[in-house]
Amino acid sequence: MQSTGTRNPATTPTHCPYCALQCGMNLTPVGGGTVKVSERADFPVNRGALCGKGRTAAAVLAPGARLTSPLVRSGDGALVPAGWDEALDRIAGNLQRTRARYGADALGVFGGGGLTNEKAYALGKFARVVLGTSQIDYNGRFCMSSAAAAGTRAFGLDRGLPFPLEDVPRTGCVILVGSNPAETMPPSLRYFTELRENGGTLIVVDPRRTRTAEQADLHLAPRPGTDLALALGMLHLVVAEGRVDEAYVEERTSGWEEARAAAMAHWPEHVERITGVSVPELREAVRLFCAPEAAMVLTARGPEQQAKGTDTVGAWINLCLATGRAGRPLSGYGCLTGQGNGQGGREHGQKADQLPGYRKLTDPAARRHVAEVWGVDPDSLPGPGRSAYELLDALGTDVRSLLVMGSNPVVSAPRAAHVEERLRSLDFLAVCDVVLSETAELADVVLPVTQWAEETGTTTSLEGRVLLRRRALTPPDGIRGDLEVLHALAGRLGVEKGFPTDPEEVFEELRRASAGGPADYSGIDYRRLAEENGVFWPCPAPTGGDAAAPHPGTPRLFLDRFATDDGRARFVPVAHRPSAEEPDDEYPVLLTTGRVVAQYQSGAQTRRVAELNAAAPGPFVELHPRLAARLGAAEGDPLAVVSRRGRAVAPARITTGIRPDTVFMPFHWPGEGRANTLTNPALDPTSRMPEFKVCAVRVETVTA
């Protein structure tokens, strides 16, 4: 794909702007002042392969697809072009007035998992130092927060994968729970193909027979919302069949007896009734998982986006621990992060309860360390704020003005019609984005900002590999970077220093702020990232002066000890419980949501690419032929899916690859087909993750 504009003269190696694989790609100028995306075979994760989204990423750089001027709300209600000074003055003035009238916590900041580490760090610092507000969170809360909470609870540390993807083909068995990488991150599918070519087995847990499930040796199709019972049933069988690694449990874990007792209450026949997965299938899954010397469990949004997501992931971790499949070579639990920088975005300050370096905002030592780097009094830093949905739900009441950077909650948030209403009720809304998203359309001020190819910065992939994205082209006139925006706003709000516009300068400060924290980047710099194709954190700075050898980074965690006080992994006893909303006579069907291969997240960028729209032009309702027959619906007929929160309409897509009691909708589109109009904002008590993956609905035919 090509895009017009002023370009730097040389081919630039960089990384894709989309998912957490962060595939390597090259950008090369071609005739007529255009840029071409091409393969970059030297990057080990994708080895040159690119999906359709990556190949067409440059299309969004074109002027027709993107914002090219600040926009402000005029007296007649229209968004009209404005100069940068006018737009920035309007934002700063409104933030000042809100703070003066209602207090600092009436100001909200909502970030994005696509922001670079530098921008995520600066945004968190801006919220806490310049605005003085606790009200900051980001859309990464909707991505893998349950896995993060469960991983921290069990291992003392959260990193998406505690091992590199290159280990996956070399293990003996992988259980892939609620993940469809064939569509969500296609270049990664080769790792699972190679696993099977090497004699390993793949078990896929998904209520749909997805493209990934079609590759599996065993596909388990549980009822949505029952993954927790499934994991507990497998652990019950591990105990009953004498497959527990007793020596490992004794030497490297704690809490086993309580977790064992909880699992034994979930006998196979009981689990079959809950999940719909037969006892023979359960036994076969346990046999395949326990037969080889090494095995892995990888989860994604399926088990995580539930109101019991932390416990669900914890149950899968317990299965790994009981069988000795964590902290050993080619074994372990891992999470397949979704967003491009979902990992780094929370490590460095966008999350409501965290400071840079993955430090806890409630830890006095962490506050002192970060405050010293920032040159402020630790007592001036606000405490933890609301989680993402709770922040959005408070708009217009407790939170009166909001700055959004790189997120589109009108489409991506649960109970989206309510969130849209809350956004409309604000006294003031400012949005920084590449395109005029559905959220930006509601704003009082919209700032056009640079894209991945127009800026340098770092991201952290699903492997925990810190990567350097390089600037390959000069942005069009009228476009500024997010760091420039924060610098300009900080100055207007009375903070003249501490917000540099040079990303490398920001990263150097991030290194100091992260030093000694769980996510320690202090031994990483731009030179190393360029020379080494990325560095795995934690990577502390060497001690002993300039002559000391640099830390090599940590591709594989927990091989010697876990990141807990005693070095042991912790079993956590969990029990199955129903979803927040179960089917009943009025809403007898379950809805689950997800993605399709040609679109990404809220679709704000990919829906502007002709090739991707041709492949996936709009929403649909996937349903089983039995349900279609009961409704009298044919392929392509419009169907209304109705929940307690609203109604969405989309064409029927009939397939035997889904359970008869379940329908599926992708969530990339706004308007009448918006899937998140329907979804339930019920929150996990630990992670505050909404229950995107299961809610009760009814399905109706729509007459003309």
Side-chain angles (χ1 to χ4, degrees):
M1 178 55 64
Q2 299 177 350
S3 170
T4 60
T6 304
R7 306 297 188 262
N8 292 330
T11 294
T12 302
T14 189
H15 295 274
C16 180
Y18 292 118
C19 83
L21 283 181
Q22 288 296 280
C23 291
M25 58 170 55
N26 286 320
L27 298 183
T28 308
V30 294
T34 60
V35 65
K36 178 181 179 182
V37 173
S38 61
E39 296 179 355
R40 179 184 162 197
D42 71 309
F43 186 61
V45 173
N46 62 310
R47 294 176 252 166
L50 293 171
C51 73
K53 296 184 290 290
R55 285 189 298 98
T56 60
V60 188
L61 298 166
R66 63 163 331 148
L67 293 165
T68 55
S69 168
L71 303 173
V72 299
R73 190 72 60 183
S74 67
D76 63 3
L79 281 172
V80 298
W84 271 93
D85 284 340
E86 179 187 353
L88 290 166
D89 287 345
R90 190 175 293 201
I91 295 173
N94 276 279
L95 295 178
Q96 284 175 320
R97 285 189 289 274
T98 297
R99 184 168 57 186
R101 183 173 181 182
Y102 299 106
D105 273 358
L107 303 176
V109 176
F110 199 85
L115 301 181
T116 63
N117 289 318
E118 292 79 0
K119 293 193 284 188
Y121 172 85
L123 186 62
K125 181 181 178 182
F126 177 83
R128 295 177 174 108
V129 172
V130 178
L131 301 182
T133 183
S134 66
Q135 302 303 302
I136 174 173
D137 212 85
Y138 82 128
N139 61 17
R141 176 78 68 170
F142 302 154
C143 177
M144 56 174 290
S145 58
S146 293
T152 301
R153 195 164 69 176
F155 306 130
L157 181 68
D158 154 51
R159 194 179 83 184
L161 293 181
F163 40 73
L165 277 166
E166 67 184 44
D167 286 0
V168 170
R170 300 163 57 208
T171 193
C173 177
V174 172
I175 301 179
L176 195 59
V177 189
S179 177
N180 183 17
E183 298 203 57
T184 59
M185 44 182 66
S188 73
L189 190 63
R190 68 170 60 188
Y191 291 99
F192 303 101
T193 302
E194 291 170 7
L195 164 74
R196 300 184 69 218
E197 290 172 349
N198 292 340
T201 54
L202 175 64
I203 301 170
V204 171
V205 179
D206 199 305
R208 304 167 61 223
R209 188 162 183 81
T210 63
R211 295 184 189 180
T212 304
E214 289 173 354
Q215 309 299 315
D217 297 280
L218 178 63
H219 172 213
L220 306 179
R223 182 174 177 268
T226 65
D227 310 88
L228 175 53
L230 182 69
L232 287 164
M234 290 183 65
L235 182 53
H236 178 109
L237 286 171
V238 164
V239 176
E241 296 176 359
R243 298 180 185 272
V244 176
D245 189 332
E246 301 284 359
Y248 173 92
V249 169
E250 175 67 25
E251 293 169 8
R252 299 205 60 188
T253 73
S254 62
W256 167 234
E257 290 305 320
E258 295 83 356
R260 178 185 180 279
M264 296 315 287
H266 298 76
W267 61 95
E269 292 77 12
H270 178 51
V271 168
E272 180 181 81
R273 288 194 293 272
I274 294 171
T275 65
V277 176
S278 71
V279 173
E281 288 176 311
L282 280 171
R283 293 188 184 279
E284 178 66 0
V286 169
R287 185 190 70 79
L288 292 173
F289 184 65
C290 293
E293 183 178 343
M296 299 173 178
V297 172
L298 304 178
T299 68
R301 307 301 79 75
E304 298 161 19
Q305 287 181 329
Q306 299 183 32
K308 53 182 181 290
T310 301
D311 284 354
T312 301
V313 173
W316 290 104
I317 291 174
N318 286 349
L319 179 67
C320 289
L321 295 176
T323 53
R325 308 305 177 90
R328 284 179 167 173
L330 306 181
S331 287
Y333 164 77
C335 167
L336 298 177
T337 310
Q339 294 191 83
N341 199 32
Q343 181 76 46
R346 69 179 179 281
E347 290 169 6
H348 298 300
Q350 285 191 98
K351 200 158 169 274
D353 57 352
Q354 287 178 188
L355 288 169
Y358 226 143
R359 288 181 160 90
K360 294 181 180 178
L361 192 52
T362 53
D363 179 0
R367 293 170 66 89
R368 285 194 299 272
H369 175 87
V370 173
E372 182 177 357
V373 174
W374 287 352
V376 299
D377 184 341
D379 292 338
S380 71
L381 297 178
R386 293 175 172 87
S387 70
Y389 179 77
E390 292 166 303
L391 173 57
L392 294 171
D393 190 41
L395 300 181
T397 53
D398 295 333
V399 177
R400 309 300 294 255
S401 292
L402 182 70
L403 172 64
V404 176
M405 189 169 280
S407 188
N408 188 18
V410 166
V411 178
S412 64
R415 197 184 173 196
H418 172 73
V419 169
E420 180 177 348
E421 178 188 334
R422 293 291 84 216
L423 285 160
R424 292 181 183 276
S425 74
L426 283 164
D427 295 349
F428 181 77
L429 173 63
V431 174
C432 303
D433 210 331
V434 170
V435 298
L436 190 64
S437 69
E438 287 72 25
T439 303
E441 289 176 352
L442 305 181
D444 298 286
V445 177
V446 183
L447 299 181
V449 291
T450 51
Q451 301 187 52
W452 99 109
E454 300 163 344
E455 59 188 13
T456 294
T458 62
T459 61
T460 305
S461 75
L462 79 170
E463 303 177 296
R465 189 194 302 251
V466 185
L467 301 165
L468 182 64
R469 284 189 191 164
R470 299 166 175 89
R471 175 171 166 155
L473 53 98
T474 302
D477 292 340
I479 308 295
R480 296 187 186 180
D482 294 287
L483 294 178
E484 294 177 274
V485 169
L486 294 175
H487 171 84
L489 290 175
R492 283 166 167 80
L493 293 168
V495 180
E496 300 291 340
K497 296 181 179 180
F499 291 88
T501 59
D502 175 35
E504 188 167 9
E505 188 176 347
V506 177
F507 189 79
E508 289 300 304
E509 183 178 306
L510 181 157
R511 293 175 62 196
R512 298 195 303 276
S514 75
D520 190 336
Y521 284 30
S522 60
I524 305 173
D525 58 31
Y526 274 26
R527 179 194 58 78
R528 283 194 67 180
L529 294 178
E531 292 177 356
E532 300 176 29
N533 247 339
V535 178
F536 292 86
W537 71 262
C539 182
T543 57
D546 294 339
H551 190 284
T554 313
R556 296 169 181 86
L557 297 171
F558 312 138
L559 295 180
D560 299 318
R561 68 188 311 274
F562 294 97
T564 56
D565 291 341
D566 60 6
R568 291 172 172 264
R570 303 185 188 97
F571 281 98
V572 177
V574 295
H576 175 72
R577 58 186 184 271
S579 297
E581 189 175 81
E582 292 286 339
D584 56 22
D585 291 342
E586 188 176 2
Y587 301 97
V589 177
L590 291 168
L591 168 70
T592 192
T593 63
R595 286 168 48 186
V596 297
V597 66
Q599 300 289 351
Y600 180 72
Q601 302 299 78
S602 75
Q605 296 187 36
T606 51
R607 285 187 275 111
R608 288 165 168 79
V609 179
E611 180 180 329
L612 300 179
N613 280 335
F620 56 86
V621 180
E622 185 178 281
L623 72 164
H624 192 275
R626 274 190 254 163
L627 178 56
R630 287 203 300 270
L631 295 168
E635 181 77 14
D637 285 354
L639 294 177
V641 183
V642 184
S643 78
R644 290 177 173 84
R645 289 153 296 280
R647 181 176 187 265
V649 178
R653 182 174 293 183
I654 302 172
T655 173
T656 57
I658 192 169
R659 292 174 55 95
D661 59 3
T662 301
V663 295
F664 166 83
M665 291 187 71
F667 62 83
H668 309 290
W669 289 274
E672 72 169 5
R674 181 174 60 185
N676 277 321
T677 296
L678 308 168
T679 48
N680 191 350
L683 301 180
D684 180 287
T686 302
S687 68
R688 316 308 288 169
M689 168 75 86
E691 192 153 67
F692 287 98
K693 286 301 180 185
V694 53
C695 70
V697 299
R698 66 173 179 267
V699 185
E700 304 168 340
T701 56
V702 177
T703 56

